[in-house]
């Protein structure tokens, strides 16, 4: 899996992990990073990791997966064409006026999470154009905080962001998906974040 954040902190972080540096020092950081990568558009590398059993320690046995099927389901769930049933953005769940309706993207929650990234000098990798409050981007930031040993700040970030909206998002995913991969991903994300 790749590290999708860059940081201008005391040490320079690469946007791409090499095989030698792929291991995180923190198990929590590794778990957050794997979850983040899994919430992105499925790639051949993800399918290869599933097929090789590399994700079994996190998800259990996922069986066989097909890249085309995963990409089709990812698009249907998270992109659309006519408004996705499971938008993966914090603001959609937190910045809504009606609890039965989804809110806007790029709302106050988006700006709040972006302030966290700026505070730590971290920004999403350029090859990912997701909004700052995308589930994968927030999980990547959690991985960064865990890896750097910012345990109290990680707990605060989760309390202020991830824990406030992911349950509603994950319930939608579980309700709308027909792919075992996304069912397992939602269940595992709930265990890790909750």
């Amino acid at each position: 899996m790749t590290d999708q954040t860059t940081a201008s902190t005391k040490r320079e972080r690469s946007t791409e992990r090499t095989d030698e540096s792929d291991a995180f020092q923190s198990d929590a950081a590794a778990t957050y990073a794997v979850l983040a990568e899994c919430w992105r558009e499925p790639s051949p590398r993800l399918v290869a990791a599933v097929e090789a059993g590399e994700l079994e320690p996190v998800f259990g046995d996922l069986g066989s997966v097909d890249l085309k099927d995963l990409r089709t389901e990812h698009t249907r769930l998270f992109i659309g064409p006519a408004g996705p049933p499971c938008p993966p953005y914090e603001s959609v769940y937190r910045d809504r006026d009606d609890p039965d309706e989804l809110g806007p993207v790029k709302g106050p929650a988006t700006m709040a999470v972006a302030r966290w990234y700026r505070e730590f000098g971290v920004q999403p990798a350029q090859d990912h154009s997701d909004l700052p409050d995308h589930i994968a981007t927030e999980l990547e930031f959690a991985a960064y905080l865990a890896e750097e040993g910012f345990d109290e700040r990680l707990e605060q970030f989760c309390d202020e962001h991830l824990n406030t909206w992911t349950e509603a998002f994950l319930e939608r995913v579980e309700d709308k998906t027909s792919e075992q991969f996304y069912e397992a991903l939602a269940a595992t994300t709930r265990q890790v974040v909750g």
Side-chain angles (χ1 to χ4, degrees):
M1 297 291 128
T2 59
D3 179 56
Q4 301 300 328
T5 58
T6 57
S8 57
T9 57
K10 288 184 180 178
R11 75 173 195 201
E12 190 66 30
R13 293 180 60 91
S14 170
T15 58
E16 196 72 28
R17 289 189 182 269
T18 62
D19 288 338
E20 299 84 41
S21 70
D22 210 23
F24 285 88
Q25 292 181 17
S26 160
D27 289 343
T31 301
Y32 283 122
V34 167
L35 291 174
E37 189 68 22
C38 289
W39 283 111
R40 297 221 177 269
E41 181 179 358
S43 66
R45 184 173 178 181
L46 174 66
V47 171
V50 171
E51 295 294 332
E54 294 172 13
L55 299 181
E56 279 188 33
V58 178
F59 298 103
D61 182 15
L62 292 170
S64 181
V65 295
D66 178 78
L67 180 59
K68 182 180 176 195
D69 290 345
L70 286 181
R71 284 185 171 168
T72 299
E73 184 70 346
H74 181 272
T75 299
R76 186 184 73 77
L77 291 172
F78 311 122
I79 298 172
C86 309
Y89 305 103
E90 178 180 350
S91 61
V92 171
Y93 300 91
R94 292 206 46 206
D95 300 336
R96 54 188 175 179
D97 295 325
D98 181 346
D100 295 327
E101 300 290 327
L102 295 174
V105 292
K106 292 188 177 181
T110 308
M111 301 308 119
V113 78
R115 281 192 295 275
W116 271 87
Y117 303 161
R118 282 193 305 275
E119 178 183 342
F120 284 87
V122 176
Q123 56 188 322
Q126 292 181 2
D127 60 341
H128 289 288
S129 59
D130 294 324
L131 294 173
D133 64 336
H134 188 283
I135 183 73
T137 307
E138 288 192 16
L139 288 166
E140 288 169 349
F141 184 64
Y144 166 78
L145 293 174
E147 182 68 4
E148 296 299 322
F150 296 122
D151 297 339
E152 289 179 15
R153 297 306 303 271
L154 171 60
E155 185 176 333
Q156 181 184 2
F157 178 75
C158 288
D159 287 345
E160 290 180 15
H161 293 284
L162 282 168
N163 294 340
T164 64
W165 70 280
T166 53
E167 183 58 34
F169 167 68
L170 298 172
E171 284 177 2
R172 289 178 81 95
V173 172
E174 289 169 331
D175 184 53
K176 303 293 183 183
T177 193
S178 58
E179 282 288 333
Q180 178 187 356
F181 174 81
Y182 285 109
E183 289 174 8
L185 179 56
T188 302
T189 301
R190 179 181 289 110
Q191 290 172 349
V192 171
V193 172

